[in-house]
Amino acid sequence: MPVVGENECTAVSAEEGVRLLSDALYRYLQEIEACRAICTHAQDTTAVHTRGKALQVFRLFQVDEITATHIRHTSAAFPGWETSPFWASHGQAWERTLQQIENRMEKHGKLHAILTTGIVWEGIPLIVHAYKFEPDPVMKVELVLPEIPEPLHELPLKMIATMLRCLDHIVPEFIATPLPPYVRHEAKFMTIKEYLLHTMPAGLYATSCL
């Protein structure tokens, strides 16, 4: 029976290491490209609020009872954020953020609440906040990212892509087509590209692909 020498084992191990590294890089590039693609697709229909501490990504829709009902039913099907493994350590902070949103709604006399609830999407806790502008025929679906623990932190590109996938699920295009984010809405927001160029670390491939 032939004996494999030490040099041969080293060569095999090195070859396997190169293969594993190339596979990992390929998967990373695929993930970054998928994130870039969804951000590019949403550029004209989705925007980012950055005035508060929490990241807020939103879309506007024409008021329609079918859309509002779909938002409620879809959001109810998500796992509640109480199911998150980080609920014990961060749940109180998440609830405070949600309560602050509800308090602002109560103080504003021209907003009609559709839904405000805490969910988990792809492991990330989010607040789904949907409401109607009065008297305008426009409703807003907003995802708010509360304070999250360090293990959940991601590159801004990946976090925005995660939130966009959630918005796509809450109101898919076959239910309603998003309006441009400036329609009957204040212009104090960033486009997705502006936000990412402002927040992504310099020198990364993920940044250069923007």
Side-chain angles (χ1 to χ4, degrees):
M1 180 176 181
V3 178
V4 178
E6 181 179 343
N7 291 341
E8 291 176 278
C9 289
T10 302
V12 170
S13 298
E15 182 179 339
E16 179 66 11
V18 170
R19 186 188 67 79
L20 292 174
L21 177 60
S22 63
D23 286 348
L25 286 173
Y26 180 69
R27 287 193 296 270
Y28 171 74
L29 295 178
Q30 279 188 313
E31 181 181 20
I32 293 302
E33 173 55 24
C35 291
R36 186 205 62 79
I38 191 172
C39 289
T40 299
H41 179 72
Q43 173 69 14
D44 295 330
T45 60
T46 314
V48 181
H49 278 309
T50 57
R51 288 177 295 171
K53 292 182 179 180
L55 174 62
Q56 304 166 49
V57 179
F58 72 90
R59 284 179 181 161
L60 303 178
F61 298 90
Q62 197 75 21
V63 170
D64 179 86
E65 185 57 37
I66 293 176
T67 305
T69 299
H70 191 83
I71 292 169
R72 295 188 186 100
H73 286 178
T74 304
S75 298
F78 289 125
W81 57 11
E82 299 88 353
T83 63
S84 168
F86 300 100
W87 171 256
S89 59
H90 286 73
Q92 288 187 349
W94 300 345
E95 289 287 353
R96 281 196 300 271
T97 302
L98 188 147
Q99 188 61 54
Q100 290 167 0
I101 292 172
E102 291 182 333
N103 291 343
R104 287 197 297 270
M105 286 288 293
E106 290 180 5
K107 292 179 181 179
H108 199 299
K110 295 185 178 181
L111 298 179
H112 173 67
I114 297 173
L115 175 76
T116 305
T117 189
I119 67 163
V120 172
W121 169 262
E122 297 183 2
I124 304 295
L126 295 169
I127 297 171
V128 181
H129 181 42
Y131 55 95
K132 177 186 181 301
F133 294 95
E134 296 287 0
D136 296 336
V138 174
M139 58 183 171
K140 182 177 183 179
V141 181
E142 185 174 64
L143 293 180
V144 181
L145 178 68
E147 176 187 342
I148 57 174
E150 185 65 32
L152 296 182
H153 286 197
E154 291 279 10
L155 284 174
L157 176 65
K158 295 177 67 174
M159 185 60 74
I160 290 291
T162 295
M163 297 172 79
L164 291 175
R165 286 191 292 270
C166 188
L167 284 173
D168 286 342
H169 189 78
I170 293 172
V171 186
E173 290 187 357
F174 68 84
I175 292 292
T177 302
L179 303 172
Y182 51 79
V183 171
R184 296 182 180 272
H185 189 273
E186 64 180 9
K188 295 180 180 179
F189 58 77
M190 283 186 174
T191 66
I192 291 174
K193 185 174 182 178
E194 287 171 341
Y195 173 77
L196 292 176
L197 290 176
H198 180 73
T199 58
M200 284 289 288
L204 298 183
Y205 166 80
T207 303
S208 64
C209 80
L210 299 174

